[in-house]
Amino acid sequence: MNQTPQLPTAPPGPNSYTTLAAGQDFRNEIAIRRSRFITVLRRVEDETGARALVAELRREFYGARHHCSAFVLGPGRSVRRSNDDGEPSGTAGAPMLDALLKHGSGAGTVPSADLSDVCAVVVRYFGGILLGAGGLVRAYSESVGTALELAPLVRRNRLQLFTVSVPHADAGRVENELRTAGCVMTGNSYGAERTDVGLAIADDAAVIAAVQDRLASLSAGHSTLVPVGVDWVDAAS
């Protein structure tokens, strides 16, 4: 008697978020009352990567007076840090972090304010004119906000990973059917009599259930999805 397979429950937290496109850092410069504000955005996975960017820019722009920073990490944006680097307290790092956290609210670039895994560093060359606390807050916020409006952003989606055990003779047909159903094939492993087909499915209970139903129909109920983990991937542009 076939039993209904126990499909995985979704891990806590969001199953997608917005981040900077993979690749090179994004840079943008603005001038405010003769001060230069150079914003550098980098996609980072952890605090070590964020701090490495700050260190690199200190070496590259060694003549600048300030290298202020802010970063947000994790799908749920659980890690949030900022640093004023010598500017008056609360006038640089905090507005930079606020710009990262609020990017997308009411804007067309992303559907909601859910930007993460991004470090922003603003290098300031002082132009000789004092901006005042309010002016600094606006300048650092504008620097990061403008860079984010111009930077290439992508959606990062969580996928559920599975294997399906099928007879060798059926592996090709099952793969094709699953690919047609929208699954991402992740590679196969081979035993003496059966093939373990690897696949990834969008982390959505209804989508996973539909794939399981299709698989049951293909195999007359003999093959089921076996969960093996999760992965994050950038959505195709």
Side-chain angles (χ1 to χ4, degrees):
M1 177 177 174
N2 293 323
Q3 295 183 341
T4 302
Q6 182 65 44
L7 297 179
T9 57
N15 59 11
S16 69
Y17 63 97
T18 303
T19 191
L20 193 67
Q24 295 182 339
D25 300 341
F26 181 82
R27 299 188 175 200
N28 188 65
E29 179 176 340
I30 64 174
I32 299 176
R33 302 187 69 184
R34 292 169 49 186
S35 282
R36 296 172 60 199
F37 292 84
I38 304 166
T39 298
V40 181
L41 303 176
R42 175 178 291 181
R43 178 163 158 176
V44 293
E45 296 182 353
D46 50 34
E47 293 196 41
T48 299
R51 300 188 193 287
L53 175 60
V54 178
E56 290 173 25
L57 295 177
R58 286 190 188 281
R59 292 191 295 270
E60 179 179 350
F61 298 102
Y62 58 87
R65 181 173 293 188
H66 305 285
H67 304 76
C68 306
S69 60
F71 56 87
V72 185
L73 301 174
R77 310 203 292 180
S78 57
V79 178
R80 307 174 181 188
R81 303 282 187 272
S82 64
N83 191 298
D84 293 313
D85 193 40
E87 294 282 27
S89 179
T91 63
M96 291 171 60
L97 180 60
D98 195 52
L100 291 175
L101 292 173
K102 290 183 177 178
H103 184 68
S105 295
T109 41
V110 290
S112 60
D114 62 356
L115 184 74
S116 194
D117 289 354
V118 176
C119 178
V121 178
V122 176
V123 178
R124 182 190 179 196
Y125 284 93
F126 181 53
I129 300 176
L130 295 176
L131 300 182
L136 287 172
V137 169
R138 288 189 294 273
Y140 280 100
S141 178
E142 179 183 346
S143 297
V144 175
T146 300
L148 288 171
E149 291 295 337
L150 298 172
L153 302 179
V154 296
R155 296 295 295 174
R156 190 155 173 78
N157 299 318
R158 185 170 62 202
L159 301 180
Q160 293 278 357
L161 305 180
F162 298 91
T163 61
V164 176
S165 179
V166 298
H168 292 316
D170 295 337
R173 177 175 62 88
V174 169
E175 277 191 78
N176 289 334
E177 290 286 346
L178 292 173
R179 191 177 286 110
T180 300
C183 300
V184 177
M185 311 315 297
T186 60
N188 300 340
S189 60
Y190 302 92
E193 298 180 356
R194 300 180 71 84
T195 299
D196 288 336
V197 177
L199 63 149
I201 307 174
D203 188 13
D204 181 290
V207 174
I208 295 172
V211 172
Q212 176 57 56
D213 289 344
R214 187 161 187 170
L215 179 62
S217 176
L218 285 172
S219 64
H222 295 298
S223 296
T224 62
L225 295 172
V226 178
V228 294
V230 298
D231 193 15
W232 288 90
V233 298
D234 291 355
S237 58

